[in-house]
Amino acid sequence: MIDVDYRWPSAARAWLDLPAPVRADMVAAGAGAWREVFDGRATYNEQWRLARPPVMDETSLGVLNAVSDRLAQLIFEACRRRAATAGELRRLLNVADGETRLLDDDEPLTEALLDAFRPDVLLCDGVPRFVEYNIDSSLGGAFDADTTVRRFVDLYRRHGITDRVRLAAAPSAVDRRFAAIRAGLGLPAGARVAMLIDFDAEYPGLDDPQRFVKLLSPVVERAAAGGLELVVAPVSQVALDDRKRLVAGGAPVDGVFRLFVPNRVTPSAGVDALEAGLAAGTVPMWVSAAAWLIANKRTFAWLWEDADTLPAADRDLVRRYVPRTWSLTAELLDRAVADRADLVAKPADGSAGVDVLIGRETDAAAWRDGLTRAVGRGGFILQEHVKADDVPLDFVHIGTGETVAAEVPYSIAPYLFGRRAAGACIRTGFPGCDGVLNLARGVLLSGLLVTPAPG
């Protein structure tokens, strides 16, 4: 049973519980080696780098993962109460036929769709608030999160810091994902799996495919350690052979997983081939594109609609950790205009902060106009505004080498693969940043450093 009323320590507590000399040495070590730590990692920020990773104690991380897992189950159950197949759910969500590529309308909704998820969590008055759920194989940031925090831990080891205090990287999201892929697809040791990437998408580094693939060589090594032969392939270049097996990297593969979302993939002959192989049942894919429907933000509104009918523990979990959410309709427009300062409007199937309106950061006329357009387009939600707590972090200014301490917002995105916790991707603000934490606005990515439970 999850302790709904777990007393969360402040976001700074785990860091401040470390001895002051240790904290100073960690920041100094990170400030001196930021190029090494962040070499090849994805960011648009050309001014700042973290001098240390965010820190959480192992008890709090365990509770966060348990809440993440249960809320994902509740989202799935809210969908299953309303639909039995992917097609029924698609129509209920008003998603046009063909808008979500690779989707089989006849596919039954099963818990296998929860094989990969990563909620976006903000800390508000110390309490985690789950503002979105990414439910799909295409979860980004895992390699960057793993790499940065492990480089920090190696750095601390070289400086003797880990001899003075117990510090550890959170469990590897890269390793856990490969274990979940093998288990989910039932693959034997040595199976050949393609990681499909849309190199025409917007993401740092995709404009240089050869360099991007080279940077992923450690991921290929981790896959091999997990019993898989990994092929990194552009989705645009895959094809079917005469047995309708998917060919990537010059040979057939035993399975695939996507690092692109199925409603924004660039059209290509490769996507057509993948879709044809899925329809023929000859291409095992982890996970089904139906997972993307489960991730639709309207499910948050359904959680609240159903809350009073849930068992007491689940009802309280929703009310404590999920911001109040509504499907945006014309009937709610006047109320939403009046309550602008307390609301956020989001596309229900969006990501990366695209077309998000934050009421208190938008003037009244622009808010009304934006909501009116959103109602006309359909497919938007309203959500209670969550003000992220500012937490202390340390940064290096790239131009000057100066170390700066600042209180900034950050979001925690814990990974669960095969329903097993697998570290977290932390998106942090930086000195002078605005309140929207996404890659396009220059946020910094890091993994999570874990310290022993307090006391």
Side-chain angles (χ1 to χ4, degrees):
M1 180 66 67
I2 300 169
D3 182 357
V4 174
D5 295 319
Y6 175 74
R7 296 296 182 258
W8 298 89
S10 75
R13 188 72 266 153
W15 171 247
L16 296 176
D17 280 345
L18 296 171
V22 168
R23 299 200 306 267
D25 288 348
M26 289 170 66
V27 172
W34 64 265
R35 287 182 177 84
E36 169 193 341
V37 171
F38 291 99
D39 180 48
R41 299 309 96 223
T43 182
Y44 289 109
N45 196 309
E46 297 180 356
Q47 187 173 15
W48 299 100
R49 293 293 182 271
L50 284 167
R52 65 169 180 88
V55 183
M56 182 177 286
D57 75 83
E58 59 188 3
T59 299
S60 295
L61 180 58
V63 176
L64 179 66
N65 287 327
V67 173
S68 298
D69 186 49
R70 185 58 189 151
L71 285 177
Q73 292 176 67
L74 293 176
I75 287 171
F76 173 77
E77 290 165 10
C79 293
R80 281 290 287 117
R81 282 191 288 272
R82 292 164 169 82
T85 66
E88 290 177 10
L89 182 59
R90 177 184 63 77
R91 290 185 285 273
L92 191 62
L93 293 168
N94 295 319
V95 175
D97 187 14
E99 182 177 321
T100 301
R101 297 294 303 268
L102 317 178
L103 187 68
D104 175 6
D105 270 358
D106 294 328
E107 178 186 343
L109 301 180
T110 71
E111 287 205 5
L113 299 174
L114 296 183
D115 229 15
F117 59 87
R118 189 202 68 195
D120 289 342
V121 183
L122 300 178
L123 299 176
C124 181
D125 296 328
V127 177
R129 303 278 279 167
F130 289 68
V131 296
E132 294 184 14
Y133 257 85
N134 305 281
I135 303 174
D136 196 36
S137 70
S138 61
L139 305 178
F143 180 47
D144 291 318
D146 270 17
T147 301
T148 55
V149 75
R150 276 157 181 73
R151 287 175 178 173
F152 272 120
V153 172
D154 288 344
L155 178 68
Y156 301 152
R157 187 177 296 115
R158 297 200 302 268
H159 283 259
I161 294 171
T162 55
D163 296 331
R164 297 154 61 190
V165 294
R166 185 156 66 91
L167 302 169
S172 169
V174 171
D175 291 352
R176 291 273 171 90
R177 173 149 50 189
F178 288 130
I181 290 170
R182 275 196 66 184
L185 296 182
L187 298 175
R192 195 166 188 265
V193 171
M195 179 168 73
L196 301 181
I197 298 174
D198 180 5
F199 279 97
D200 294 309
E202 290 291 331
Y203 193 80
L206 290 180
D207 56 330
D208 188 345
Q210 288 187 332
R211 182 173 184 271
F212 193 87
V213 171
K214 184 177 179 180
L215 288 172
L216 289 175
S217 58
V219 178
V220 176
E221 294 171 4
R222 296 312 307 159
L228 296 174
E229 179 188 347
L230 183 67
V231 181
V232 181
V235 67
S236 62
Q237 296 179 18
V238 300
L240 296 181
D241 66 8
D242 55 3
R243 294 166 55 186
K244 293 194 175 180
R245 298 176 302 177
L246 196 76
V247 175
V253 295
D254 302 303
V256 301
F257 74 101
R258 296 172 287 103
L259 283 188
F260 61 84
V261 295
N263 70 337
R264 280 192 299 282
V265 62
T266 306
S268 68
V271 175
D272 293 342
L274 175 59
E275 197 160 52
L278 291 170
T282 56
V283 180
M285 184 172 71
W286 185 90
V287 293
S288 159
W292 184 250
L293 299 177
I294 305 291
N296 190 289
K297 297 176 187 65
R298 281 191 65 189
T299 62
F300 275 46
W302 293 348
L303 280 182
W304 275 93
E305 289 172 15
D306 298 351
D308 288 341
T309 68
L310 299 177
D314 290 335
R315 178 199 63 213
D316 293 344
L317 204 71
V318 170
R319 289 178 175 173
R320 180 164 172 78
Y321 295 115
V322 179
R324 189 73 172 87
T325 306
W326 304 262
S327 296
L328 177 57
T329 62
E331 291 74 23
L332 285 178
L333 184 58
D334 288 343
R335 177 182 168 190
V337 168
D339 294 342
R340 171 172 59 92
D342 299 319
L343 294 172
V344 176
K346 303 177 181 181
D349 63 351
S351 61
V354 176
D355 291 334
V356 171
L357 289 174
I358 300 175
R360 63 184 61 189
E361 297 179 11
T362 308
D363 68 49
W367 174 251
R368 174 181 279 279
D369 289 346
L371 291 189
T372 301
R373 287 195 299 272
V375 168
R377 288 170 55 188
F380 272 68
I381 64 161
L382 288 172
Q383 191 172 76
E384 172 192 359
H385 181 271
V386 175
K387 172 64 173 71
D389 295 340
D390 287 340
V391 294
L393 280 171
D394 298 273
F395 302 85
V396 181
H397 190 281
I398 293 174
T400 66
E402 178 187 9
T403 304
V404 175
E407 293 200 352
V408 298
Y410 71 52
S411 68
I412 307 169
Y415 297 97
L416 284 91
F417 293 119
R419 303 283 296 279
R420 295 187 64 197
C425 180
I426 312 298
R427 286 175 288 189
T428 80
F430 49 89
C433 72
D434 62 24
V436 179
L437 296 172
N438 65 58
L439 205 62
R441 300 201 185 194
V443 299
L444 303 174
L445 299 186
S446 173
L448 187 64
L449 193 65
V450 182
T451 61

